[in-house]
Amino acid sequence: MSEPITPVISDRICKHMNEDHGDALVLYAKAFGDSPEAETAQMISIDPQGMNLAVQIKGETVPVRIKFDRDLKDAQDAHYKLIDMVKQARQMQAQA
């Protein structure tokens, strides 16, 4: 059983995503956050219903909320959902 997505777990996931997966965060903003002009993005928080990003667009920081298509069960579920979403975003980008 994986850990529930508490504020502590959210912080851990955000730290990992911001340090190691900045390119994925930009893809999320573009594909799912209605921010096609996103230049950079940071994950501010994640919860079972979605994630909050701070997205840089033309020198301005814009808050972006991305809702998941279902509630996440736990941190492991979040891991798999984020991987699925980056795969989807890459496919969407390739088709554009």
Side-chain angles (χ1 to χ4, degrees):
M1 183 85 152
S2 184
E3 304 152 299
I5 303 174
T6 62
V8 170
I9 298 303
S10 171
D11 289 347
R12 187 182 77 200
I13 293 170
C14 290
K15 184 177 190 297
H16 168 71
M17 293 300 293
N18 291 331
E19 289 178 358
D20 298 333
H21 302 291
D23 56 336
L25 296 174
V26 172
L27 283 174
Y28 297 148
K30 289 179 176 184
F32 306 109
D34 195 29
S35 301
E37 296 178 340
E39 299 159 1
T40 64
Q42 280 197 306
M43 184 181 285
I44 304 303
S45 64
I46 186 170
D47 57 68
Q49 292 77 40
M51 66 178 118
N52 293 301
L53 304 179
V55 179
Q56 288 283 81
I57 299 173
K58 297 181 182 174
E60 284 190 49
T61 301
V62 178
V64 173
R65 172 76 176 170
I66 298 173
K67 292 184 179 181
F68 299 131
D69 59 359
R70 61 176 174 77
D71 284 4
L72 303 181
K73 292 178 254 170
D74 52 32
Q76 183 176 358
D77 196 19
H79 174 78
Y80 292 122
K81 173 51 88 178
L82 293 173
I83 290 170
D84 286 346
M85 287 176 72
V86 81
K87 288 177 182 176
Q88 280 183 313
R90 285 180 180 144
Q91 284 180 333
M92 291 165 68
Q93 194 175 46
Q95 292 171 355

